[in-house]
Amino acid sequence: NAGVTQTPKFQVLKTGQSMTLQCAQDMNHNSMYWYRQDPGMGLRLIYYSASEGTTDKGEVPNGYNVSRLNKREFSLRLESAAPSQTSVYFCASSDDPGGFGNTEAFFGQGTRLTVV
Amino acid sequence: QKEVEQNSGPLSVPEGAIASLNCTYSDRVSQSFFWYRQYSGKSPELIMSIYSNGDKEDGRFTAQLNKASQYVSLLIRDSQPSDSATYLCASYNQAGTALIFGKGTTLSVSS
């Protein structure tokens, strides 16, 4: 019972390098999310996708791009990494076809990214 | 005001005491609320959800929602050291498309 799977779990990048964080869910959920978590800041929403083929900006989208490849997969790309993007990144998914905003989200295990 | 706000703490209680965690919210969120627990270095996991005014109990946990005052709280009775974690309050935006979190409150239960 995999749930939400993120890869990689750890990554160190040099400033200016690019990388893609991968996320896949096997629960047939419509909605997927990318968050970053910094000390004392809680979970801040970067981008989300309410359904296959749609993506929207969250609270902190600058420096990131996303792709909803299909219903299962939602990737986050850093085109030119900066030290300010050092953080723990979480992918999550939920299923709320009616848009009532009343279903729980399930989280991946997180990716710890360091940009030096 | 941010959509969902929490006092980041830390909140320290002795073992066996009641821990009270609070969250306030703005008009820009839906009327459904979630409490997640996050242990250090781990992913958030759902503890409770509450959609209606009043109290909802599950074991040692009680969630309380007061829509008139726009706050939601989580009470943990008979607190245990294993309850030491960060507790995150969350709600969806009004469109129901994005789950928004507060900054979280760190709870420390001492034995």
Side-chain angles (χ1 to χ4, degrees):
Chain A
N1 194 8
V4 180
T5 303
Q6 288 182 237
T7 55
K9 292 184 180 179
F10 302 93
Q11 184 71 49
V12 178
L13 288 178
K14 293 182 178 180
T15 297
Q17 286 185 320
S18 62
M19 80 161 295
T20 299
L21 281 64
Q22 306 286 353
C23 176
Q25 52 93 7
D26 63 2
M27 295 173 284
N28 202 36
H29 285 171
N30 287 311
S31 299
M32 298 186 73
Y33 314 88
W34 276 106
Y35 295 92
R36 61 177 289 173
Q37 188 171 38
D38 304 293
M41 299 298 290
L43 287 164
R44 292 187 292 171
L45 185 62
I46 305 171
Y47 271 94
Y48 64 99
S49 172
S51 61
E52 185 178 354
T54 68
T55 60
D56 285 286
K57 295 178 180 179
E59 179 185 358
V60 288
N62 291 343
Y64 306 96
N65 286 303
V66 291
S67 296
R68 183 74 183 267
L69 304 171
N70 47 56
K71 193 171 186 178
R72 289 187 64 249
E73 299 173 290
F74 189 38
S75 63
L76 179 71
R77 183 162 178 83
L78 287 70
E79 291 290 352
S80 179
S84 60
Q85 294 178 305
T86 294
S87 188
V88 179
Y89 292 84
F90 287 101
C91 177
S93 71
S94 67
D95 196 26
D96 188 24
F100 297 113
N102 59 1
T103 59
E104 74 170 291
F106 296 84
F107 284 81
Q109 70 272 44
T111 296
R112 189 172 296 274
L113 175 67
T114 302
V115 183
V116 298
Chain B
Q1 182 191 10
K2 289 183 69 66
E3 289 92 341
V4 179
E5 295 200 71
Q6 293 180 257
N7 185 332
S8 59
L11 174 65
S12 297
V13 300
E15 183 175 358
I18 296 175
S20 177
L21 304 157
N22 300 308
C23 173
T24 58
Y25 61 91
S26 75
D27 293 332
R28 300 192 301 277
V29 300
S30 74
Q31 297 298 292
S32 301
F33 298 91
F34 305 85
W35 282 101
Y36 284 80
R37 177 177 62 199
Q38 185 178 26
Y39 292 115
S40 181
K42 301 295 186 182
S43 306
E45 57 179 347
L46 183 72
I47 302 176
M48 297 275 293
S49 58
I50 186 165
Y51 312 131
S52 305
N53 255 342
D55 296 358
K56 179 182 178 181
E57 187 174 318
D58 184 0
R60 296 187 296 112
F61 298 94
T62 299
Q64 300 174 319
L65 175 58
N66 184 322
K67 294 186 178 182
S69 300
Q70 293 186 289
Y71 81 79
V72 57
S73 61
L74 179 70
L75 301 179
I76 306 175
R77 292 183 299 281
D78 188 23
S79 295
Q80 301 296 309
S82 59
D83 295 324
S84 297
T86 297
Y87 291 80
L88 298 156
C89 175
S91 183
Y92 280 89
N93 59 2
Q94 287 186 334
T97 54
L99 188 60
I100 302 165
F101 285 81
K103 292 185 177 182
T105 299
T106 300
L107 172 66
S108 176
V109 181
S110 55
S111 57

